[in-house]
């Protein structure tokens, strides 16, 4: 695989842009349509009767191998990425929020939102196998290395759009207590998809001179692609070219929210969120979508290289796409088809969310946010997501609000950043501070603008 494509796939935009989107601002007490992506029940806590979301963007990159210091001081990133024995995990994703609006009437709140998603993941790739494919085994010593894994190694890319409608209802709305329920229904617009999975791989990698060979190998392999990502899943242009398709699936979010109020709102027509405690729980992104495109293909194979047979891994140095990899393996004669489908279904990255926001002193709050995925990410038809936990002190001065998120991510470890809200404008990062320290393995940025009426 071309090294420049690998590095682009992993780190394009790292300086400008890893894992919770909108870290901090998502639990702001200035509530609007943006908050529904964390919990649809929050829509009934809107700060104004009408809320308009003009735009929002959040871009993330996280991994468990390379640091910012490596990017600055190392010219051979592909060598660093595949050092050691720990599986390589990397995620790069972008979320763009388009026009959205919310309206509150008595105990009801209704909302509409639009989003585009683009995800790229390297999941549990054995560094010895990755090094053999990308670097012709440059990190290995001469001789033979035996690799045996009981999990599915994946490289995956997905782009899709979403149009969502939210309804929230306040079951209890007393002077001191409030309890909301909410539901978001989603129409999904699948755009592009690419997946290469290699399950239960066993094999021997030998390096002779500058050539790497694969022998005594057995694995179950999946190749699936649709749209522009069939041509190249490592080029960001291909995500934007076919990010949105026709309606191809549905999904939903479901949540509950409780507030213990500090005192009743001064203006009963507005929810000024003067709470001592704000609790929420939600299940998000339940559903799936079916990809349909002339380029569509999802095929399962058995890879078998036995006896004196060997595969020259240097052939993969100049591949451009998953189709190229599939073609090389088919031409080798070591790949046997087991099942094949034209159209295929992909599951959304379902997560469970639990959070609490506590008033410490006047205007100072501390929130805790837990995101836990529900489904295993090692299956080929699953869009991946990461687990994380965030603690965010935030200072609410009315027009201005300041955030200081501290996040523990399962892949990139500990990160901290800064965020600010000025009226409806917001800008921040969940890892900006640690990224400046050079040893961080995550970087992200988000910004957007929204406004309320009445």
């Amino acid at each position: 695989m071309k090294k420049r494509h690998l590095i682009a796939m992993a780190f394009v935009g790292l300086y400008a842009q890893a894992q919770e989107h909108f870290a901090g601002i998502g639990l702001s007490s200035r509530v609007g349509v943006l908050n529904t992506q964390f919990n649809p029940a929050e829509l009934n806590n809107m700060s104004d009767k009408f809320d308009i979301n003009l735009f929002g963007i959040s871009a993330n990159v996280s991994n468990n191998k390379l640091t910012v210091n490596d990017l600055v001081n190392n010219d051979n990133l592909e060598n660093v990425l595949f050092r050691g024995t720990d599986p390589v995990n990397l995620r790069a994703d972008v979320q763009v929020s388009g026009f959205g609006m919310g309206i509150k009437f008595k105990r009801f709140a209704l909302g509409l939102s639009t989003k585009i998603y683009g995800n790229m993941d390297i999941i549990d790739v054995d560094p010895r196998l990755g090094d053999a494919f990308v670097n012709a085994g440059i990190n290995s010593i001469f001789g033979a290395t035996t690799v045996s894994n009981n999990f599915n190694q994946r490289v995956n890319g997905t782009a899709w759009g979403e149009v969502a409608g939210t309804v929230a209802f306040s079951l209890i709305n007393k002077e001191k207590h409030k309890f909301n329920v909410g539901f978001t229904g989603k129409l999904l617009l699948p755009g592009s998809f690419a997946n290469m999975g290699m399950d239960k791989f066993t094999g021997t990698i030998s390096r002779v001179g500058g050539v790497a060979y694969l022998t005594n190998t057995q694995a179950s392999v999946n190749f699936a692609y649709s749209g522009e990502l069939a041509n190249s899943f490592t080029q960001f242009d291909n995500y934007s070219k076919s990010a949105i398709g026709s309606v191809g699936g549905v999904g939903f979010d479901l949540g509950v929210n409780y507030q213990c109020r500090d005192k009743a709102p001064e203006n009963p027509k507005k929810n000024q969120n003067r709470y001592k405690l704000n609790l929420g729980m939600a299940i998000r992104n339940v559903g799936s979508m079916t990809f349909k495109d002339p380029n569509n293909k999802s095929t399962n194979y058995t890879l078998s290289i036995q006896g004196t047979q060997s595969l020259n891994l240097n052939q993969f140095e100049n591949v451009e796409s998953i189709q190229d990899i599939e073609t090389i393996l088919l031409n080798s004669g070591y790949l046997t088809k087991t099942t094949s489908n034209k159209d295929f279904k992909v599951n959304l990255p379902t997560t469970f969310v639990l959070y609490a926001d506590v008033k410490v002193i006047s205007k100072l709050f501390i929130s805790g946010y837990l995101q836990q995925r529900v489904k295993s990410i090692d299956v080929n038809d699953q869009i991946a997501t990461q687990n994380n936990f965030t603690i965010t002190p935030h200072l609410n001065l009315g027009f201005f609000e300041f955030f200081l998120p501290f996040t523990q991510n399962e892949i990139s470890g500990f990160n901290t950043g800064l965020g600010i809200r000025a009226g409806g404008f917001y800008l921040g990062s969940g890892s900006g501070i640690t990224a400046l320290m050079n040893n961080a393995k995550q970087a992200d940025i988000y910004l957007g603008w929204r406004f309320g009426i009445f």
Side-chain angles (χ1 to χ4, degrees):
M1 185 179 296
K2 286 188 176 180
K3 297 178 183 180
R4 62 184 178 87
H5 288 166
L6 174 69
I7 301 307
M9 175 173 64
F11 302 106
V12 161
L14 186 58
Y15 291 109
Q17 336 200 36
Q19 180 51 36
E20 175 194 343
H21 283 290
F22 302 105
I25 189 69
L27 296 183
S28 167
S29 52
R30 191 287 187 199
V31 177
V33 178
L34 173 67
N35 301 69
T36 62
Q37 76 173 47
F38 293 85
N39 184 350
E42 284 283 356
L43 192 64
N44 218 334
N45 296 328
M46 281 199 307
S47 301
D48 299 283
K49 186 173 182 179
F50 296 95
D51 183 74
I52 306 296
N53 186 84
L54 294 180
F55 77 93
I57 183 170
S58 177
N60 303 284
V61 179
S62 60
N63 83 109
N64 67 334
K65 292 285 185 172
L66 298 181
T67 66
V68 174
N69 186 58
D70 291 324
L71 295 178
V72 175
N73 298 315
N74 200 312
D75 294 329
N76 298 307
L77 295 178
E78 65 277 1
N79 296 342
V80 180
L81 187 65
F82 294 115
R83 284 178 183 169
T85 57
D86 292 336
V88 178
N89 283 280
L90 180 144
R91 179 176 177 84
D93 66 319
V94 177
Q95 177 181 315
V96 179
S97 298
F99 176 80
M101 64 178 298
I103 181 172
K104 186 170 59 178
F105 178 72
K106 294 184 178 180
R107 289 186 175 224
F108 282 93
L110 300 174
L112 175 70
S113 62
T114 57
K115 295 186 182 72
I116 297 175
Y117 300 89
N119 297 348
M120 207 159 38
D121 293 275
I122 298 176
I123 304 168
D124 289 335
V125 171
D126 190 296
R128 295 163 296 181
L129 190 60
D131 179 54
F133 272 83
V134 176
N135 303 318
I138 196 170
N139 284 331
S140 62
I141 60 174
F142 286 94
T145 300
T146 299
V147 177
S148 180
N149 308 122
N150 62 358
F151 50 82
N152 189 25
Q153 308 173 56
R154 298 175 62 202
V155 178
N156 176 269
T158 316
W160 77 99
E162 170 188 296
V163 178
T166 299
V167 57
F169 179 68
S170 184
L171 292 174
I172 300 173
N173 193 1
K174 304 293 185 181
E175 181 178 341
K176 295 290 186 178
H177 304 281
K178 186 178 184 182
F179 183 79
N180 303 324
V181 295
F183 174 84
T184 296
K186 306 176 181 182
L187 289 178
L188 305 175
L189 312 171
S192 293
F193 181 81
N195 183 80
M196 179 174 62
M198 193 170 289
D199 192 20
K200 295 179 175 58
F201 176 92
T202 60
T204 300
I205 302 167
S206 303
R207 185 170 178 237
V208 181
V211 181
Y213 295 97
L214 190 59
T215 58
N216 300 319
T217 300
Q218 194 76 25
S220 297
V221 182
N222 171 265
F223 291 103
Y225 35 81
S226 177
E228 289 293 328
L229 294 186
N231 301 319
S232 176
F233 65 95
T234 64
Q235 298 296 309
F236 277 87
D237 287 347
N238 288 330
Y239 287 80
S240 60
K241 286 177 182 177
S242 57
I244 302 176
S246 57
V247 175
V250 295
F252 70 88
D253 303 341
L254 184 65
V256 295
N257 167 252
Y258 166 76
Q259 285 189 355
C260 179
R261 287 170 169 164
D262 198 13
K263 57 184 177 180
E266 295 174 358
N267 184 349
K269 293 183 179 181
K270 301 183 71 172
N271 186 344
Q272 296 165 317
N273 288 316
R274 297 191 173 183
Y275 54 78
K276 294 186 293 186
L277 175 66
N278 186 45
L279 299 174
M281 181 173 64
I283 185 81
R284 295 168 30 195
N285 286 324
V286 179
S288 62
M289 51 190 167
T290 300
F291 285 82
K292 298 180 179 181
D293 186 87
N295 282 336
N296 259 33
K297 189 178 180 183
S298 178
T299 309
N300 293 315
Y301 297 95
T302 297
L303 175 64
S304 181
I305 307 172
Q306 303 299 323
T308 59
Q309 298 173 332
S310 65
L311 176 66
N312 183 345
L313 296 178
N314 290 44
Q315 298 176 81
F316 298 94
E317 235 180 350
N318 296 313
V319 299
E320 294 281 357
S321 68
I322 282 180
Q323 285 179 313
D324 292 342
I325 299 173
E326 183 182 28
T327 299
I328 291 173
L329 289 174
L330 283 172
N331 290 340
S332 73
Y334 303 138
L335 213 56
T336 303
K337 182 189 296 186
T338 57
T339 61
S340 182
N341 297 295
K342 176 66 175 175
D343 297 329
F344 52 89
K345 184 180 293 186
V346 175
N347 293 310
L348 292 180
T350 305
T351 56
F352 171 75
V353 168
L354 184 66
Y355 62 85
D357 193 23
V358 181
K359 181 180 179 180
V360 181
I361 57 175
S362 178
K363 304 184 184 306
L364 178 63
F365 298 79
I366 295 180
S367 67
Y369 173 88
L370 172 70
Q371 174 179 292
Q372 178 71 39
R373 66 172 170 267
V374 174
K375 300 179 180 180
S376 173
I377 59 174
D378 67 352
V379 293
N380 292 308
D381 61 355
Q382 177 64 55
I383 300 173
T385 190
Q386 295 176 14
N387 300 325
N388 61 73
F389 178 69
T390 303
I391 297 290
T392 307
H394 56 109
L395 183 65
N396 190 342
L397 302 178
F399 185 80
F400 291 100
E401 194 169 5
F402 301 90
F403 308 91
L404 184 64
F406 301 91
T407 301
Q408 182 66 33
N409 180 275
E410 69 169 326
I411 289 179
S412 60
F414 175 77
N415 298 277
T416 185
L418 288 169
I420 184 173
R421 176 184 62 81
F425 175 79
Y426 54 90
L427 172 67
S429 169
S431 59
I433 294 176
T434 44
L436 292 175
M437 296 178 182
N438 287 335
N439 63 345
K441 297 176 181 177
Q442 174 172 315
D444 70 288
I445 191 171
Y446 63 80
L447 64 90
W449 186 26
R450 53 187 178 159
F451 65 90
I453 305 174
F454 305 126

